Amino acid sequence: MAGATQDFSQFDISKEEIDKLVAEVVRYVLFKTHQNSGCPIKREELVQLVTKNYSQRALPAHVINAAKEKLSNAFGYELRELLRCRPSSATQGRSTQQTGVAEAKSYVLISQLPAEVYKKYVEDENSAHLSGFTFVVISIVHLAGGKIPEDILWRHLKRMGLCETDVSHPVFGNAKQALEILVQQRYLQKDKINGPEGNTLFYELAERALDGPVSEKMKEYISEVLFRDDSHFVILML
């Protein structure tokens, strides 16, 4: 942790105390990720862990950066920062500068293991179907231009055997809840728009689906499906 263990005098706090804070942040991130099915962790949660007993202004950033190094070196995880994006309807009419002010930051853990190693030794076979569902849904939204009305999304999912009214699907259980989890995990976000025919609910790609690694993997997935069975996707997007 050479990059994170520099001059501690600026904080008026011992190395032992900083190490203890770093360990606490690492434990919190690992536990919260497991407990909440990989939902992003808000930066303010990590800041509060540090500031509950210490008031030094620059200390939270230092501790979080040190925790990033420890998670990478000891556990093989990248603590990846995400910048929360707003629904497109909320940013219309605002300047780029205005929409970028005070956006909430959050973190997710991403394995740094090679894909084949992760799949063989780490990936839980019991949750593999959830990964598949995630990539199917965000791919549909991506192919629809990054945003899709709720009824159209369910129409596509119904063609794949998943109905909005399913409450005990043999694989996914409650279908609506399965989709809602993707919102909580910030792969999707909801956007309700007022129109001449009333309110329409849209699902839109959120920051996690737009983030580099996931976005690239999604595009690879789409390419594989297109090459394997392009007729299905042609039908899917009609």
Side-chain angles (χ1 to χ4, degrees):
M1 288 182 23
T5 54
Q6 312 120 351
D7 180 17
F8 301 113
S9 61
Q10 61 176 310
F11 303 120
D12 191 25
I13 179 175
S14 69
K15 178 181 182 301
E16 289 71 25
E17 287 175 289
I18 287 184
D19 287 344
K20 187 177 178 180
L21 286 171
V22 171
E24 188 174 354
V25 168
V26 168
R27 280 196 303 271
Y28 184 87
V29 168
L30 291 171
F31 174 76
K32 197 75 182 287
T33 298
H34 177 73
Q35 182 189 46
N36 291 349
S37 303
C39 291
I41 298 166
K42 293 178 182 178
R43 180 181 174 87
E44 63 192 52
E45 294 179 49
L46 304 186
V47 170
Q48 286 170 5
L49 283 178
V50 178
T51 57
K52 64 183 179 183
N53 293 319
Y54 299 93
S55 59
Q56 292 89 333
R57 188 172 180 180
L59 186 59
H62 180 88
V63 170
I64 290 171
N65 286 334
K68 284 183 180 180
E69 288 194 34
K70 187 157 191 175
L71 283 162
S72 177
N73 296 336
F75 298 96
Y77 284 114
E78 176 190 359
L79 184 62
R80 191 167 182 86
E81 185 177 280
L82 301 174
L83 191 64
R84 191 179 184 93
C85 60
R86 300 170 183 264
S88 56
S89 65
T91 60
Q92 289 175 359
R94 301 185 183 189
S95 68
T96 304
Q97 185 177 4
Q98 285 176 315
T99 58
V101 172
E103 295 289 359
K105 292 180 181 179
S106 61
Y107 297 97
V108 293
L109 286 181
I110 298 178
S111 175
Q112 295 174 316
L113 293 172
E116 62 276 9
V117 175
Y118 181 86
K119 187 172 183 178
K120 185 174 181 180
Y121 296 105
V122 180
E123 188 175 64
D124 181 4
E125 291 183 3
N126 296 322
S127 63
H129 63 284
L130 297 175
S131 298
F133 175 71
T134 300
F135 277 96
V136 166
V137 172
I138 65 175
S139 296
I140 291 171
V141 179
H142 171 76
L143 289 169
K147 187 172 185 174
I148 191 170
E150 180 185 32
D151 60 329
I152 303 298
L153 176 58
W154 280 112
R155 187 191 303 170
H156 293 319
L157 292 175
K158 189 173 182 179
R159 291 175 179 174
M160 304 168 69
L162 192 63
C163 296
E164 183 180 6
T165 54
D166 287 341
V167 292
S168 56
H169 188 276
V171 177
F172 299 106
N174 188 306
K176 274 192 170 182
Q177 191 173 349
L179 191 60
E180 182 61 28
I181 288 173
L182 299 189
V183 176
Q184 295 169 6
Q185 293 176 333
R186 296 300 297 170
Y187 287 106
L188 298 175
Q189 58 188 333
K190 296 177 183 178
D191 191 12
K192 189 175 286 187
I193 298 178
N194 294 321
E197 299 179 5
N199 292 331
T200 302
L201 182 64
F202 284 80
Y203 282 96
E204 187 172 355
L205 295 179
E207 60 273 7
R208 198 164 177 184
L210 296 169
D211 190 44
V214 175
S215 180
E216 289 303 313
K217 196 180 292 185
M218 173 183 63
K219 290 170 185 174
E220 287 175 16
Y221 168 80
I222 292 172
S223 297
E224 288 174 9
V225 174
L226 284 170
F227 279 115
R228 187 172 66 242
D229 186 7
D230 56 310
S231 60
H232 174 73
F233 258 77
V234 170
I235 293 170
L236 182 66
M237 298 315 299
L238 288 177

